[in-house]
């Protein structure tokens, strides 16, 4: 199996920045694409401050931070991905946008390259169908914050080859130091299929006035030893992302437990996306 040396990441928001950071820290050559120079600069800043925090906490040597930064390049042109061996797409959770990116990556990437998505809920089969190489397309689903959380869900579609899954698995475990689980191409995979109904239930509980946001969160922290409560976690995930994931899962299963509560919809309408916009269930 050829070792992966050149990685492409599409999008440098919350997740793309984390994936790019972890790849660069693992000594890989990382090219990140963004929509425009401003968004690319914001991605670079996000990565730089995360690396700086790791140095301050004594988890990363200054020389290793500098080496990681030297492994990173940014572009606004996917046409520059012609030498990438694996690409991880991490743009907004929108099927139309993602299929557009996959069709373009298929034109640009060399034969044999792996096309992967960090999607939380969009069927991998739909992304694969936008390309002429569905056997090389799979879901590689990281968790936030990527530098901290060990898990990667590997999600083959019905068309993905076993060789692609094994290559992606070796990349995630041996090169990035992650641990993997495998899930079928079913909206939400393993973790979100369990987590999202829980988060939506907490939002419904808050919406119906059963308890304050703080008390709902403290209930789960103090009573169940969760590291953070469901409303804080929702703010951290991003309420726009949470709503999109819930919508995809509702679309797939038509189960009321996946339906976004009205309050979540209104908060997203108002631009209250949680931590990333400065306001969600809490103020930041
Ligand atoms: N937020 C989470 O906790 C989390 C966890 C796991 C997976 N995910 C998934 O990861 C993906 C990204 O989520 P996020 O939270 O990082 O979103 P985000 O909104 O923080 O970032 C998305 C980024 O993609 C960029 N972008 C949009 N279109 C692009 C294009 N065509 N080319 C290049 N860049 C483009 C945007 O400018 C933005 O910077 C989604 O599919 C989401 O479901 C999110």
């Amino acid at each position: 199996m050829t070792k992966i040396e050149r990685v492409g990441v599409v999008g440098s928001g919350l997740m793309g920045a984390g994936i790019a950071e972890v790849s660069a820290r693992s000594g890989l050559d990382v090219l990140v694409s963004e929509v425009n120079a401003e968004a690319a600069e914001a991605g670079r800043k996000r990565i730089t401050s995360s690396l700086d925090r790791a140095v301050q906490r004594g988890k990363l040597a200054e020389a290793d931070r500098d080496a990681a930064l030297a492994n990173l390049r940014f572009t606004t042109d996917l046409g520059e991905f012609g030498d990438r061996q694996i690409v991880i797409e991490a743009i907004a959770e929108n099927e139309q946008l993602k299929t557009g990116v996959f069709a373009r990556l298929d034109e640009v990437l060399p034969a044999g390259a792996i096309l992967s998505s960090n999607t939380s809920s969009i069927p991998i089969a739909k992304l694969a169908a936008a390309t002429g190489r569905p056997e090389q397309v799979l879901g590689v689903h990281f968790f936030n914050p990527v530098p901290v959380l060990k898990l990667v869900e590997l999600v083959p579609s019905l068309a993905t080859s076993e060789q692609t899954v094994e290559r992606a698995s070796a990349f995630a475990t041996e090169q990035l130091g992650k641990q993997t689980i495998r899930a079928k191409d079913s909206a939400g995979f393993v973790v979100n299929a369990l987590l999202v109904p829980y988060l939506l239930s907490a939002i419904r509980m808050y919406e119906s006035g059963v308890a304050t946001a703080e008390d709902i969160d403290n209930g789960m922290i103090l009573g169940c030893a969760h590291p953070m409560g469901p409303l804080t976690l929702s703010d951290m995930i991003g309420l726009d992302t949470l709503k999109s994931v819930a919508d995809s899962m509702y679309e797939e299963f038509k189960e009321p437990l996946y339906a976004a509560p009205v309050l979540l919809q209104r908060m997203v309408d108002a631009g209250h996306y949680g931590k990333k916009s400065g306001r969600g269930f809490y103020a930041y």
Side-chain angles (χ1 to χ4, degrees), residues 79-101:
E80 288 183 24
F81 274 37
D83 66 348
R84 300 292 104 182
Q85 294 162 296
I86 186 168
V87 170
I88 302 144
E89 167 277 311
I91 68 168
E93 189 75 345
N94 175 308
E95 187 178 319
Q96 220 181 340
L97 286 180
K98 285 193 194 280
T99 49
V101 165

Side-chain angles (χ1 to χ4, degrees), residues 240-255:
D240 52 338
T241 300
L242 176 61
K243 182 184 174 300
S244 302
V245 174
D247 288 348
S248 297
M249 290 170 66
Y250 184 74
E251 173 71 23
E252 178 127 319
F253 302 113
K254 304 290 185 296
E255 290 275 6

